[in-house]
Amino acid sequence: MRTILRGGTVWDESGAADADVVIDAAGRIEALVPRGGQDGGAAREGGAPAQVIDVSGLWVLPGAVDAHVHFRDPGLTAKEDFLTGSAAAAVGGVTTVLDMPNTLPPVNTAAAFAAKLQAVAGRAYTDFGLFGAATAWESIDDLIAHVDGLIEQGAVGIKVLLGPTTGNLSAPSWGELYQLLALHAERTVFVFHCEDRSVIEVATPRVPRALAAEYRGLLAARPRFGEILATAGVLELAGATGARVHVAHVALAEAVGLIARAKGQGWPVTAETCPQYLFLCQDDYEAIGPVMKVLPPIRSARDRDELVQGLRSGAIDLVATDHAPHEPPTKSEQPVWEGSFGMAGVQLLLPLLVDLALRGGCSIPDVVRWTSAAPARAFGLYPAKGALRPGSDADLVVIDPHRAWCVADDWWKSKSRNTAFWGRSGRGFPAMTFLRGRLVQVDGRVCGPPRGRLVRPRAGAGKTDGEAK
Ligand code: NCD
Ligand code: ZN
Protein backbone atom coordinates (compact mmCIF):
# COMPACT_ATOMS: atom_id res chain seq x y z
CA MET A 1 0.00 0.00 0.00
CA ARG A 2 1.08 3.56 -0.64
CA THR A 3 1.66 6.00 2.19
CA ILE A 4 1.11 9.75 2.24
CA LEU A 5 2.70 12.03 4.83
CA ARG A 6 0.26 14.90 4.80
CA GLY A 7 0.59 18.45 6.01
CA GLY A 8 4.30 18.74 6.83
CA THR A 9 7.12 21.03 5.78
CA VAL A 10 9.59 19.14 3.62
CA TRP A 11 13.27 20.11 3.87
CA ASP A 12 16.19 19.30 1.62
CA GLU A 13 19.59 20.84 0.95
CA SER A 14 18.12 23.82 -0.84
CA GLY A 15 15.28 24.80 1.44
CA ALA A 16 11.76 24.05 2.58
CA ALA A 17 8.45 23.43 0.87
CA ASP A 18 4.95 22.78 2.13
CA ALA A 19 4.28 19.49 0.41
CA ASP A 20 2.79 16.08 0.94
CA VAL A 21 5.15 13.14 0.49
CA VAL A 22 3.72 10.24 -1.48
CA ILE A 23 5.52 6.94 -0.93
CA ASP A 24 4.92 4.04 -3.31
CA ALA A 25 4.23 0.46 -2.27
CA ALA A 26 7.89 -0.45 -2.87
CA GLY A 27 9.05 2.11 -0.29
CA ARG A 28 10.33 4.76 -2.69
CA ILE A 29 9.30 8.36 -2.96
CA GLU A 30 6.69 8.63 -5.68
CA ALA A 31 6.03 12.34 -5.60
CA LEU A 32 6.18 15.53 -3.58
CA VAL A 33 2.86 17.25 -4.02
CA PRO A 34 2.88 20.96 -3.16
CA ARG A 35 0.02 22.11 -1.00
CA GLY A 36 -1.94 25.24 -1.25
CA GLY A 37 -2.67 24.90 -4.95
CA GLN A 38 -6.11 24.31 -6.36
CA ASP A 39 -5.78 20.57 -6.26
CA GLY A 40 -5.31 20.58 -2.49
CA GLY A 41 -2.09 18.60 -2.64
CA ALA A 42 -2.06 14.87 -2.17
CA ALA A 43 -5.53 15.09 -0.68
CA ARG A 44 -6.74 14.59 -4.21
CA GLU A 45 -5.21 11.12 -4.33
CA GLY A 46 -8.23 9.10 -5.19
CA GLY A 47 -6.69 6.20 -7.10
CA ALA A 48 -4.68 3.48 -5.40
CA PRO A 49 -5.48 3.15 -1.72
CA ALA A 50 -3.09 4.95 0.59
CA GLN A 51 -2.46 5.11 4.28
CA VAL A 52 -2.40 8.77 5.29
CA ILE A 53 -0.23 9.95 8.18
CA ASP A 54 -0.87 13.44 9.46
CA VAL A 55 2.37 15.34 9.98
CA SER A 56 0.94 18.85 10.04
CA GLY A 57 3.08 21.27 11.97
CA LEU A 58 6.05 18.89 11.68
CA TRP A 59 9.18 18.80 9.50
CA VAL A 60 10.07 15.99 7.10
CA LEU A 61 13.79 15.54 6.40
CA PRO A 62 15.75 12.84 4.59
CA GLY A 63 16.92 10.28 7.14
CA ALA A 64 20.46 10.83 8.32
CA VAL A 65 23.35 8.71 7.03
CA ASP A 66 25.85 8.27 9.86
CA ALA A 67 29.10 7.50 8.06
CA HIS A 68 31.03 6.42 11.17
CA VAL A 69 29.62 4.03 13.78
CA HIS A 70 31.10 1.19 15.82
CA PHE A 71 28.26 -1.23 16.61
CA ARG A 72 30.70 -3.78 18.14
CA ASP A 73 28.99 -6.72 16.51
CA PRO A 74 30.27 -9.43 16.35
CA GLY A 75 32.70 -9.92 19.18
CA LEU A 76 32.22 -6.98 21.52
CA THR A 77 28.49 -7.16 22.05
CA ALA A 78 28.62 -6.34 25.76
CA LYS A 79 29.27 -2.76 24.62
CA GLU A 80 26.69 -2.68 21.79
CA ASP A 81 25.13 -4.93 19.19
CA PHE A 82 23.41 -4.33 15.90
CA LEU A 83 19.90 -4.37 17.39
CA THR A 84 20.66 -1.82 20.09
CA GLY A 85 22.95 0.33 17.96
CA SER A 86 20.48 0.51 15.09
CA ALA A 87 17.60 1.14 17.50
CA ALA A 88 19.52 4.15 18.82
CA ALA A 89 20.08 5.24 15.23
CA ALA A 90 16.41 4.93 14.27
CA VAL A 91 15.27 6.78 17.40
CA GLY A 92 17.66 9.60 16.50
CA GLY A 93 16.44 9.84 12.89
CA VAL A 94 19.35 7.99 11.30
CA THR A 95 18.25 5.59 8.56
CA THR A 96 21.62 4.35 7.26
CA VAL A 97 24.75 3.64 9.28
CA LEU A 98 28.20 2.79 7.98
CA ASP A 99 29.81 0.41 10.47
CA MET A 100 33.52 0.27 11.17
CA PRO A 101 35.63 -2.90 10.86
CA ASN A 102 37.32 -2.97 14.29
CA THR A 103 34.96 -5.71 15.45
CA LEU A 104 36.11 -9.23 16.43
CA PRO A 105 37.51 -10.75 14.35
CA PRO A 106 38.59 -7.64 12.46
CA VAL A 107 37.00 -7.28 9.03
CA ASN A 108 40.20 -7.42 6.99
CA THR A 109 39.38 -10.41 4.74
CA ALA A 110 36.48 -11.37 2.50
CA ALA A 111 35.73 -14.27 4.83
CA ALA A 112 35.53 -11.98 7.87
CA PHE A 113 33.25 -9.61 5.93
CA ALA A 114 30.92 -12.48 5.00
CA ALA A 115 30.87 -13.72 8.60
CA LYS A 116 30.05 -10.26 9.93
CA LEU A 117 27.27 -9.80 7.41
CA GLN A 118 25.81 -13.12 8.44
CA ALA A 119 26.10 -12.23 12.13
CA VAL A 120 24.27 -8.92 11.81
CA ALA A 121 21.74 -9.80 9.08
CA GLY A 122 18.15 -9.42 10.25
CA ARG A 123 19.25 -7.44 13.32
CA ALA A 124 19.19 -3.86 12.06
CA TYR A 125 16.41 -1.29 12.27
CA THR A 126 18.26 0.83 9.73
CA ASP A 127 20.04 0.10 6.49
CA PHE A 128 23.75 -0.35 6.92
CA GLY A 129 27.02 -0.42 5.04
CA LEU A 130 30.04 -2.32 6.32
CA PHE A 131 33.61 -1.12 6.03
CA GLY A 132 36.53 -3.44 5.42
CA ALA A 133 39.96 -2.74 6.92
CA ALA A 134 43.31 -2.57 5.17
CA THR A 135 45.82 -3.90 7.71
CA ALA A 136 49.45 -4.98 7.59
CA TRP A 137 49.97 -8.41 5.97
CA GLU A 138 53.01 -10.57 5.26
CA SER A 139 53.27 -9.19 1.76
CA ILE A 140 51.86 -6.39 -0.35
CA ASP A 141 50.30 -9.02 -2.61
CA ASP A 142 48.30 -10.36 0.34
CA LEU A 143 47.20 -6.82 1.21
CA ILE A 144 46.06 -6.10 -2.33
CA ALA A 145 44.24 -9.43 -2.59
CA HIS A 146 42.43 -9.01 0.73
CA VAL A 147 41.30 -5.49 -0.10
CA ASP A 148 40.12 -6.72 -3.50
CA GLY A 149 38.10 -9.41 -1.71
CA LEU A 150 36.53 -6.86 0.63
CA ILE A 151 35.52 -4.61 -2.27
CA GLU A 152 34.06 -7.60 -4.12
CA GLN A 153 31.99 -8.51 -1.05
CA GLY A 154 30.40 -5.06 -1.09
CA ALA A 155 32.42 -3.12 1.49
CA VAL A 156 31.18 0.48 1.58
CA GLY A 157 34.78 1.67 1.91
CA ILE A 158 38.17 0.60 3.18
CA LYS A 159 39.32 1.85 6.58
CA VAL A 160 42.92 2.42 7.55
CA LEU A 161 43.74 3.12 11.21
CA LEU A 162 47.09 4.90 11.16
CA GLY A 163 47.36 5.19 14.93
CA PRO A 164 46.65 3.02 17.96
CA THR A 165 42.94 2.94 18.86
CA THR A 166 40.25 0.45 19.91
CA GLY A 167 41.15 -2.97 18.49
CA ASN A 168 44.73 -1.84 17.85
CA LEU A 169 44.63 -2.79 14.16
CA SER A 170 47.93 -2.35 12.37
CA ALA A 171 48.28 -0.15 9.31
CA PRO A 172 50.09 -0.95 6.07
CA SER A 173 53.24 1.12 5.48
CA TRP A 174 53.10 4.33 3.45
CA GLY A 175 54.79 2.50 0.60
CA GLU A 176 52.14 -0.21 0.67
CA LEU A 177 49.33 2.33 0.91
CA TYR A 178 50.69 4.15 -2.12
CA GLN A 179 50.60 0.96 -4.20
CA LEU A 180 47.23 -0.12 -2.81
CA LEU A 181 45.48 3.17 -3.50
CA ALA A 182 46.99 3.47 -6.95
CA LEU A 183 45.79 -0.02 -7.83
CA HIS A 184 42.30 0.21 -6.35
CA ALA A 185 41.69 3.88 -7.19
CA GLU A 186 38.19 4.33 -8.63
CA ARG A 187 36.93 1.12 -7.00
CA THR A 188 36.29 2.31 -3.47
CA VAL A 189 36.71 5.08 -0.90
CA PHE A 190 39.64 4.88 1.54
CA VAL A 191 38.82 6.20 5.00
CA PHE A 192 41.67 7.18 7.28
CA HIS A 193 41.99 7.57 11.04
CA CYS A 194 44.71 10.21 10.97
CA GLU A 195 47.03 9.87 13.95
CA ASP A 196 50.61 8.74 13.38
CA ARG A 197 51.49 5.68 15.46
CA SER A 198 55.19 6.39 15.94
CA VAL A 199 54.56 9.93 17.17
CA ILE A 200 52.22 8.56 19.86
CA GLU A 201 54.38 5.60 20.81
CA VAL A 202 57.43 7.77 21.38
CA ALA A 203 55.56 10.59 23.11
CA THR A 204 53.48 8.54 25.53
CA PRO A 205 56.18 7.14 27.85
CA ARG A 206 57.77 10.59 27.98
CA VAL A 207 54.70 12.31 29.43
CA PRO A 208 55.51 13.37 33.00
CA ARG A 209 53.67 11.20 35.53
CA ALA A 210 52.56 14.41 37.19
CA LEU A 211 50.15 14.80 34.25
CA ALA A 212 48.77 11.24 34.53
CA ALA A 213 45.48 12.42 36.01
CA GLU A 214 45.09 15.50 33.84
CA TYR A 215 43.62 15.94 30.38
CA ARG A 216 46.83 17.75 29.44
CA GLY A 217 48.59 14.40 29.85
CA LEU A 218 46.44 12.85 27.14
CA LEU A 219 47.11 15.76 24.81
CA ALA A 220 50.84 15.42 25.45
CA ALA A 221 50.71 11.68 24.69
CA ARG A 222 49.12 12.46 21.32
CA PRO A 223 50.88 15.58 20.02
CA ARG A 224 49.15 17.66 17.36
CA PHE A 225 52.10 16.85 15.12
CA GLY A 226 50.93 13.23 14.81
CA GLU A 227 47.55 14.27 13.44
CA ILE A 228 49.02 16.89 11.14
CA LEU A 229 51.56 14.43 9.73
CA ALA A 230 49.01 11.67 9.13
CA THR A 231 46.45 14.04 7.61
CA ALA A 232 49.01 15.60 5.28
CA GLY A 233 50.16 12.11 4.27
CA VAL A 234 46.74 10.76 3.32
CA LEU A 235 45.90 13.92 1.38
CA GLU A 236 49.13 13.48 -0.56
CA LEU A 237 48.07 9.89 -1.26
CA ALA A 238 44.87 11.19 -2.85
CA GLY A 239 46.85 13.68 -4.90
CA ALA A 240 49.45 11.14 -5.98
CA THR A 241 47.18 8.19 -6.77
CA GLY A 242 43.84 9.77 -7.68
CA ALA A 243 42.12 7.48 -5.17
CA ARG A 244 39.14 8.79 -3.17
CA VAL A 245 40.32 9.59 0.33
CA HIS A 246 37.99 10.40 3.23
CA VAL A 247 39.47 11.86 6.41
CA ALA A 248 37.58 10.52 9.44
CA HIS A 249 36.81 12.55 12.56
CA VAL A 250 38.79 15.74 11.86
CA ALA A 251 39.60 17.33 15.21
CA LEU A 252 42.33 19.86 14.51
CA ALA A 253 42.40 23.39 13.08
CA GLU A 254 45.53 22.63 11.02
CA ALA A 255 43.80 19.63 9.42
CA VAL A 256 40.98 21.88 8.19
CA GLY A 257 43.56 24.05 6.43
CA LEU A 258 45.31 21.06 4.89
CA ILE A 259 42.03 19.63 3.61
CA ALA A 260 40.97 22.97 2.14
CA ARG A 261 44.28 23.18 0.32
CA ALA A 262 43.99 19.62 -1.03
CA LYS A 263 40.49 20.38 -2.30
CA GLY A 264 41.83 23.56 -3.87
CA GLN A 265 44.26 21.41 -5.87
CA GLY A 266 41.33 19.34 -7.10
CA TRP A 267 42.34 16.24 -5.15
CA PRO A 268 39.55 13.69 -4.57
CA VAL A 269 39.11 14.27 -0.87
CA THR A 270 36.21 14.41 1.58
CA ALA A 271 36.26 14.93 5.34
CA GLU A 272 34.06 14.50 8.38
CA THR A 273 33.97 15.88 11.87
CA CYS A 274 31.81 14.84 14.82
CA PRO A 275 29.49 16.57 17.31
CA GLN A 276 32.00 16.06 20.12
CA TYR A 277 34.51 18.24 18.25
CA LEU A 278 31.92 20.87 17.33
CA PHE A 279 30.31 21.28 20.74
CA LEU A 280 33.12 20.58 23.23
CA CYS A 281 36.68 21.63 23.95
CA GLN A 282 39.39 20.61 26.39
CA ASP A 283 38.18 23.12 28.98
CA ASP A 284 35.06 20.98 29.42
CA TYR A 285 37.07 18.04 30.78
CA GLU A 286 36.98 19.26 34.33
CA ALA A 287 33.19 19.21 34.37
CA ILE A 288 32.64 16.17 32.12
CA GLY A 289 35.51 13.85 33.05
CA PRO A 290 36.84 10.68 31.36
CA VAL A 291 33.75 10.10 29.26
CA MET A 292 35.14 12.92 27.12
CA LYS A 293 38.11 10.77 26.07
CA VAL A 294 37.91 10.12 22.33
CA LEU A 295 40.47 9.57 19.59
CA PRO A 296 41.70 11.79 18.16
CA PRO A 297 41.31 13.89 21.31
CA ILE A 298 39.07 16.92 21.66
CA ARG A 299 41.38 19.95 21.79
CA SER A 300 41.12 23.70 22.20
CA ALA A 301 38.28 26.17 21.77
CA ARG A 302 40.14 27.49 18.73
CA ASP A 303 40.15 24.03 17.14
CA ARG A 304 36.42 23.72 17.84
CA ASP A 305 35.71 27.09 16.24
CA GLU A 306 37.84 26.30 13.19
CA LEU A 307 35.99 23.03 12.71
CA VAL A 308 32.66 24.86 12.73
CA GLN A 309 34.12 27.29 10.19
CA GLY A 310 35.44 24.39 8.13
CA LEU A 311 31.94 22.95 7.85
CA ARG A 312 30.53 26.32 6.85
CA SER A 313 33.20 26.83 4.19
CA GLY A 314 32.84 23.31 2.80
CA ALA A 315 36.37 22.22 3.70
CA ILE A 316 34.65 19.63 5.87
CA ASP A 317 31.83 17.87 4.05
CA LEU A 318 29.86 16.10 6.70
CA VAL A 319 29.16 15.30 10.31
CA ALA A 320 29.29 11.69 11.53
CA THR A 321 29.20 10.53 15.12
CA ASP A 322 32.04 7.99 15.53
CA HIS A 323 29.51 6.24 17.81
CA ALA A 324 31.90 4.25 20.02
CA PRO A 325 30.20 2.56 22.97
CA HIS A 326 32.27 1.39 25.92
CA GLU A 327 31.61 0.22 29.43
CA PRO A 328 31.61 3.13 31.88
CA PRO A 329 35.12 4.24 32.80
CA THR A 330 36.24 2.57 36.02
CA LYS A 331 37.75 4.74 38.70
CA SER A 332 41.32 3.57 38.57
CA GLU A 333 44.80 4.77 39.04
CA GLN A 334 45.70 4.32 35.39
CA PRO A 335 46.99 7.34 33.49
CA VAL A 336 44.56 9.40 31.43
CA TRP A 337 46.24 8.27 28.17
CA GLU A 338 45.27 4.64 28.82
CA GLY A 339 41.92 2.86 28.99
CA SER A 340 39.08 3.02 26.50
CA PHE A 341 38.37 5.89 24.14
CA GLY A 342 35.20 6.81 22.32
CA MET A 343 31.69 7.99 23.03
CA ALA A 344 28.24 6.76 22.04
CA GLY A 345 26.40 9.24 19.86
CA VAL A 346 24.48 7.88 16.88
CA GLN A 347 21.19 8.88 18.53
CA LEU A 348 22.29 12.49 18.96
CA LEU A 349 23.55 13.39 15.49
CA LEU A 350 20.35 15.03 14.28
CA PRO A 351 19.00 16.23 17.63
CA LEU A 352 22.18 18.18 18.40
CA LEU A 353 22.38 19.71 14.93
CA VAL A 354 18.68 20.49 14.59
CA ASP A 355 18.84 22.17 17.98
CA LEU A 356 21.87 24.15 16.80
CA ALA A 357 19.86 25.27 13.76
CA LEU A 358 16.90 26.24 15.94
CA ARG A 359 19.29 28.36 17.98
CA GLY A 360 20.57 30.08 14.83
CA GLY A 361 23.96 28.36 14.58
CA CYS A 362 23.29 26.94 11.11
CA SER A 363 20.34 26.28 8.82
CA ILE A 364 18.20 23.17 8.43
CA PRO A 365 19.40 22.77 4.81
CA ASP A 366 22.96 22.77 6.26
CA VAL A 367 21.93 20.00 8.64
CA VAL A 368 20.42 17.99 5.76
CA ARG A 369 23.58 18.41 3.71
CA TRP A 370 26.00 17.55 6.53
CA THR A 371 24.10 14.55 7.89
CA SER A 372 22.44 13.07 4.83
CA ALA A 373 23.23 14.29 1.31
CA ALA A 374 26.99 14.70 1.76
CA PRO A 375 27.65 11.33 3.43
CA ALA A 376 25.45 9.58 0.85
CA ARG A 377 27.45 11.25 -1.95
CA ALA A 378 30.81 10.56 -0.33
CA PHE A 379 30.09 6.83 -0.17
CA GLY A 380 28.34 6.29 -3.50
CA LEU A 381 24.84 5.90 -2.05
CA TYR A 382 23.27 9.04 -3.48
CA PRO A 383 20.49 9.60 -4.57
CA ALA A 384 18.95 6.33 -3.33
CA LYS A 385 20.00 7.60 0.10
CA GLY A 386 20.48 11.22 1.17
CA ALA A 387 17.80 12.75 -1.06
CA LEU A 388 14.11 13.45 -0.80
CA ARG A 389 13.04 13.25 -4.42
CA PRO A 390 11.02 10.90 -6.63
CA GLY A 391 12.78 7.56 -6.98
CA SER A 392 14.83 7.86 -3.78
CA ASP A 393 14.31 5.42 -0.94
CA ALA A 394 11.66 6.79 1.40
CA ASP A 395 14.10 7.06 4.32
CA LEU A 396 12.64 9.94 6.29
CA VAL A 397 12.67 11.51 9.69
CA VAL A 398 9.79 13.59 11.00
CA ILE A 399 11.00 16.24 13.41
CA ASP A 400 8.78 18.08 15.87
CA PRO A 401 10.51 21.47 16.08
CA HIS A 402 8.56 22.45 19.19
CA ARG A 403 9.20 19.34 21.21
CA ALA A 404 12.25 18.92 23.44
CA TRP A 405 14.52 15.90 23.72
CA CYS A 406 16.62 15.08 26.76
CA VAL A 407 19.50 12.62 26.94
CA ALA A 408 18.24 10.37 29.71
CA ASP A 409 17.51 6.68 30.35
CA ASP A 410 13.92 6.73 29.12
CA TRP A 411 14.95 7.84 25.61
CA TRP A 412 18.46 6.37 25.30
CA LYS A 413 18.72 3.14 23.29
CA SER A 414 22.44 2.30 23.21
CA LYS A 415 23.75 -0.36 25.60
CA SER A 416 26.36 2.14 26.74
CA ARG A 417 25.74 5.49 28.36
CA ASN A 418 29.21 6.85 27.66
CA THR A 419 28.41 10.23 26.22
CA ALA A 420 29.58 13.65 27.23
CA PHE A 421 26.06 14.85 26.33
CA TRP A 422 24.28 12.90 29.06
CA GLY A 423 21.63 15.13 30.60
CA ARG A 424 21.69 17.62 27.73
CA SER A 425 18.40 18.76 26.25
CA GLY A 426 17.39 20.65 23.16
CA ARG A 427 14.58 21.23 20.70
CA GLY A 428 13.67 19.27 17.59
CA PHE A 429 12.45 15.84 18.63
CA PRO A 430 12.67 13.01 16.07
CA ALA A 431 9.02 11.96 16.31
CA MET A 432 8.96 9.34 13.53
CA THR A 433 11.48 7.56 11.36
CA PHE A 434 10.69 5.74 8.11
CA LEU A 435 12.98 3.20 6.46
CA ARG A 436 12.08 2.55 2.84
CA GLY A 437 8.55 3.69 3.55
CA ARG A 438 8.01 1.65 6.72
CA LEU A 439 7.72 3.21 10.12
CA VAL A 440 10.64 2.06 12.27
CA GLN A 441 10.35 4.57 15.11
CA VAL A 442 7.52 6.53 16.74
CA ASP A 443 7.82 8.73 19.79
CA GLY A 444 11.22 7.39 20.80
CA ARG A 445 10.24 3.72 20.45
CA VAL A 446 11.33 1.38 17.66
CA CYS A 447 8.69 -0.53 15.74
CA GLY A 448 9.89 -3.91 14.55
CA PRO A 449 10.72 -6.08 12.90
CA PRO A 450 14.26 -5.01 12.04
CA ARG A 451 14.19 -4.73 8.25
CA GLY A 452 17.54 -3.04 7.64
CA ARG A 453 19.53 -4.27 4.64
CA LEU A 454 23.13 -4.01 3.52
CA VAL A 455 23.72 -1.06 1.23
CA ARG A 456 26.33 -1.38 -1.47
CA PRO A 457 28.03 1.60 -3.05
CA ARG A 458 27.19 2.41 -6.64
CA ALA A 459 29.70 0.80 -9.02
CA GLY A 460 32.71 3.07 -9.48
CA ALA A 461 32.01 4.91 -6.21
CA GLY A 462 35.70 5.74 -6.06
CA LYS A 463 35.59 7.60 -9.36
CA THR A 464 36.28 11.23 -8.84
CA ASP A 465 33.90 12.40 -11.55
CA GLY A 466 31.11 10.13 -10.40
CA GLU A 467 29.84 12.20 -7.49
CA ALA A 468 26.28 12.22 -8.76
CA LYS A 469 24.54 15.40 -7.75
C1 NCD B 1 36.82 4.25 18.39
C2 NCD B 1 36.36 2.94 19.01
O1 NCD B 1 36.24 2.85 20.23
O2 NCD B 1 36.12 1.97 18.27
N1 NCD B 1 37.24 5.15 19.44
C3 NCD B 1 37.45 6.48 19.35
O3 NCD B 1 37.85 7.08 20.35
N2 NCD B 1 37.21 7.16 18.26
C4 NCD B 1 37.88 3.95 17.40
C5 NCD B 1 38.19 5.05 16.41
O4 NCD B 1 37.32 5.51 15.66
O5 NCD B 1 39.34 5.42 16.34
ZN1 ZN C 1 38.99 6.48 14.33
Side-chain angles (χ1 to χ4, degrees):
M1 190 158 67
R2 296 150 82 226
T3 303
I4 299 173
L5 304 193
R6 178 173 295 160
T9 301
V10 177
W11 292 90
D12 68 9
E13 285 177 281
S14 50
D18 287 330
D20 295 345
V21 182
V22 184
I23 301 168
D24 70 18
R28 292 197 198 88
I29 293 176
E30 183 179 304
L32 300 180
V33 185
R35 272 193 319 279
Q38 286 189 335
D39 61 5
R44 78 198 150 120
E45 296 293 325
Q51 149 195 335
V52 176
I53 297 176
D54 181 14
V55 293
S56 40
L58 306 178
W59 293 351
V60 183
L61 275 62
V65 176
D66 190 340
H68 192 149
V69 304
H70 299 266
F71 280 178
R72 309 299 192 203
D73 200 346
L76 299 158
T77 50
K79 294 172 190 272
E80 192 75 289
D81 62 41
F82 244 73
L83 274 173
T84 53
S86 66
V91 166
V94 172
T95 48
T96 303
V97 295
L98 307 186
D99 189 61
M100 288 295 165
N102 58 339
T103 37
L104 282 181
V107 186
N108 58 355
T109 64
F113 186 98
K116 176 164 179 171
L117 181 55
Q118 196 172 25
V120 307
R123 297 175 52 238
Y125 290 101
T126 62
D127 281 351
F128 57 95
L130 301 179
F131 285 102
T135 56
W137 290 96
E138 290 274 293
S139 75
I140 172 106
D141 294 332
D142 288 350
L143 169 66
I144 287 168
H146 285 309
V147 170
D148 177 65
L150 289 163
I151 297 170
E152 288 295 314
Q153 290 281 319
V156 76
I158 299 296
K159 181 76 179 285
V160 184
L161 294 140
L162 292 172
T165 183
T166 308
N168 205 18
L169 298 187
S170 58
S173 69
W174 286 108
E176 289 171 326
L177 287 171
Y178 173 70
Q179 299 291 334
L180 179 74
L181 268 68
L183 201 69
H184 290 313
E186 309 207 340
R187 291 188 67 208
T188 191
V189 179
F190 291 88
V191 178
F192 287 88
H193 177 121
C194 291
E195 289 187 287
D196 182 84
R197 178 179 287 272
S198 72
V199 171
I200 295 162
E201 287 181 348
V202 175
T204 304
R206 297 176 63 81
V207 180
R209 293 298 293 194
L211 296 185
E214 292 186 36
Y215 193 71
R216 276 189 302 154
L218 169 61
L219 298 184
R222 297 199 170 231
R224 303 175 75 89
F225 172 67
E227 267 168 85
I228 295 169
L229 186 65
T231 306
V234 306
L235 296 171
E236 291 292 335
L237 275 175
T241 65
R244 275 276 293 110
V245 164
H246 178 76
V247 185
H249 41 48
V250 176
L252 216 59
E254 291 90 327
V256 178
L258 290 168
I259 292 160
R261 203 160 70 206
K263 288 187 169 183
Q265 314 249 49
W267 295 353
V269 169
T270 51
E272 85 196 17
T273 189
C274 314
Q276 50 271 34
Y277 304 113
L278 296 169
F279 291 101
L280 304 171
C281 72
Q282 64 195 63
D283 308 335
D284 296 313
Y285 191 78
E286 210 176 303
I288 292 173
V291 78
M292 220 180 91
K293 284 169 48 176
V294 296
L295 299 177
I298 294 164
R299 298 198 193 249
S300 70
R302 187 179 82 86
D303 290 296
R304 180 197 59 200
D305 297 347
E306 291 289 321
L307 290 163
V308 172
Q309 265 317 111
L311 264 176
R312 292 201 178 118
S313 72
I316 296 178
D317 300 85
L318 60 103
V319 184
T321 63
D322 190 9
H323 176 83
H326 287 289
E327 289 88 0
T330 45
K331 279 210 175 61
S332 75
E333 297 306 306
Q334 73 179 357
V336 62
W337 52 84
E338 281 167 20
S340 53
F341 288 84
M343 83 176 66
V346 67
Q347 191 173 330
L348 302 181
L349 176 64
L350 269 179
L352 284 168
L353 289 173
V354 168
D355 180 63
L356 180 70
L358 287 168
R359 288 185 289 112
C362 62
S363 69
I364 294 293
D366 286 337
V367 175
V368 171
R369 190 169 64 257
W370 298 337
T371 63
S372 185
R377 279 196 193 103
F379 291 96
L381 306 175
Y382 192 87
K385 305 299 189 191
L388 214 165
R389 57 154 96 148
S392 296
D393 286 354
D395 293 352
L396 306 167
V397 54
V398 176
I399 301 271
D400 183 341
H402 304 293
R403 185 167 164 194
W405 47 267
C406 178
V407 186
D409 278 321
D410 59 351
W411 184 53
W412 194 247
K413 291 290 174 287
S414 172
K415 274 188 194 178
S416 298
R417 299 157 99 246
N418 61 315
T419 167
F421 299 109
W422 196 261
R424 183 181 282 235
S425 56
R427 275 183 310 145
F429 186 83
M432 292 176 220
T433 307
F434 293 84
L435 178 68
R436 285 179 274 105
R438 307 276 196 123
L439 205 51
V440 291
Q441 184 268 129
V442 186
D443 247 353
R445 277 183 295 276
V446 282
C447 337
R451 298 175 198 279
R453 298 200 292 232
L454 182 77
V455 294
R456 289 167 187 275
R458 175 168 47 73
K463 280 211 179 73
T464 52
D465 58 354
E467 311 273 276
K469 284 270 170 188

